[in-house]
Amino acid sequence: MKILYSLLIALFCILPQCKSSTAEQDRDILFQTSTINALLEGVFEGNVTYKELKQHGDFGLGTFNNLNGEMIALNNNFYQIKADGKVYPVTDSQITPFAVVTFFDQDSSIPVKGNLNYDELKQHIDKHIPTENIFYAIKIEGSFKYVKARSVPQQKKPYPEIMEIIKVQPIFEFEEIKGTMVGFRLPTYMNGINVPGYHLHFITEDKTAGGHVLDCNLKDVTIEIDYTTRSYLNLPEVKGFYSANLTKKEKVDINKVEK
Ligand SMILES: [Zn+2]
């Protein structure tokens, strides 16, 4: 009886659907380290290495310790776009104070025509999603008439206020450019934890430039969406996070920083 039971378990676990459903579930998680409010409060040091982050996703965005540029992850390649506008490969030993990743598995695509600007693009996607209440990973790939992106310069302690940093953020403008936007649309209730609404990073097709998207105008792109209903929040075990005041009433205006 015992042998039969073990045999049944063994048989069950080698069935392909058993294996793939577990794998699919593990891939369908929005993983993030730290919170957006902690980043806005100047918690620019975390303890999650990129080696660890890569275990949780092949697609996403974030930044680096000391706020050293914008991160974009696409097809399991992780890139660092520094304030000089150049793209550097990310090494496993680099550390992130804030990042959001998932394994990108397309659930639907959204047809798009015309030269939509960033606001029109957001409204267009909003019209095609089944609910505002779950997470979406979004991949927009193809030709863009225009992309306006920024990076952030590396900071030294004592860290300045984020509003001071973005006053001097380098801005990069691209015209008639091929590339990919990678990011997320998150529900309004995520406010404080993550960026509510849209947050996209861009990288050119030749992987030489990009940044955090501030504006765009589409030309000929595909929009792929990955519906995600589970999340994993990892909080940094570091002094800066432990001592940050995350209960302030007057919050930094996220629209000024991220949008
Ligand atoms: Zn960003």
Side-chain angles (χ1 to χ4, degrees):
M1 187 63 196
K2 206 173 174 188
I3 294 169
L4 183 67
Y5 185 63
S6 304
L7 199 71
L8 276 172
I9 291 175
L11 191 69
F12 181 72
C13 286
I14 55 165
L15 291 175
Q17 61 267 42
C18 163
K19 214 173 166 187
S20 72
S21 77
T22 311
E24 256 167 46
Q25 275 183 349
D26 289 342
R27 293 174 63 86
D28 195 27
I29 297 174
L30 184 84
F31 175 94
Q32 76 171 83
T33 185
S34 194
T35 67
I36 192 68
N37 273 8
L39 191 74
L40 297 180
E41 278 298 317
V43 183
F44 299 155
E45 281 179 324
N47 66 336
V48 173
T49 63
Y50 272 88
K51 186 179 184 183
E52 188 186 338
L53 190 69
K54 288 172 186 174
Q55 313 291 311
H56 300 286
D58 57 8
F59 177 98
L61 50 76
T63 185
F64 299 84
N65 266 12
N66 305 315
L67 205 68
N68 191 10
E70 308 280 355
M71 184 276 281
I72 180 168
L74 174 63
N75 302 327
N76 208 27
N77 294 307
F78 286 66
Y79 306 96
Q80 179 177 18
I81 302 154
K82 292 190 188 176
D84 62 6
K86 292 185 184 146
V87 177
Y88 300 81
V90 177
T91 62
D92 281 354
S93 61
Q94 282 179 273
I95 299 172
T96 179
F98 178 83
V100 192
V101 295
T102 189
F103 291 97
F104 191 87
D105 298 305
Q106 183 191 339
D107 289 311
S108 77
S109 65
I110 294 177
V112 58
K113 273 193 187 134
N115 304 329
L116 305 185
N117 65 30
Y118 198 18
D119 282 337
E120 291 164 342
L121 169 66
K122 293 177 201 173
Q123 288 162 17
H124 183 71
I125 298 174
D126 280 352
K127 269 190 257 162
H128 286 81
I129 52 174
T131 171
E132 296 201 343
N133 299 338
I134 66 168
F135 314 130
Y136 300 98
I138 300 171
K139 176 155 72 172
I140 304 169
E141 201 157 57
S143 306
F144 297 81
K145 273 182 87 68
Y146 175 70
V147 177
K148 183 180 181 184
R150 71 107 195 271
S151 187
V152 276
Q154 182 169 15
Q155 301 300 312
K156 288 199 188 97
K157 282 183 180 174
Y159 295 128
E161 302 250 313
I162 200 139
M163 294 309 290
E164 295 304 312
I165 299 170
I166 61 158
K167 273 184 201 163
V168 293
Q169 66 187 7
I171 289 184
F172 317 113
E173 289 181 284
F174 308 94
E175 282 174 27
E176 299 297 334
I177 187 88
K178 282 187 179 173
T180 309
M181 286 182 183
V182 162
F184 301 94
R185 184 201 189 282
L186 303 180
T188 309
Y189 64 73
M190 289 293 280
N191 200 2
I193 307 285
N194 206 315
V195 179
Y198 291 84
H199 184 185
L200 296 169
H201 286 188
F202 175 73
I203 190 157
T204 56
E205 186 183 40
D206 63 7
K207 311 292 186 284
T208 59
H212 168 106
V213 175
L214 297 172
D215 199 5
C216 68
N217 209 298
L218 307 182
K219 189 172 181 185
D220 182 19
V221 300
T222 57
I223 304 175
E224 295 177 19
I225 310 275
D226 178 6
Y227 300 179
T228 305
T229 53
R230 296 192 297 151
S231 78
Y232 187 114
L233 177 60
N234 177 81
L235 299 176
E237 294 176 76
V238 294
K239 216 172 129 198
F241 186 80
Y242 280 20
S243 60
N245 181 354
L246 303 178
T247 59
K248 277 187 192 166
K249 283 224 174 72
E250 63 287 355
K251 292 266 179 279
V252 179
D253 187 351
I254 195 168
N255 288 309
K256 286 197 182 122
V257 179
E258 298 293 339
K259 302 197 173 157

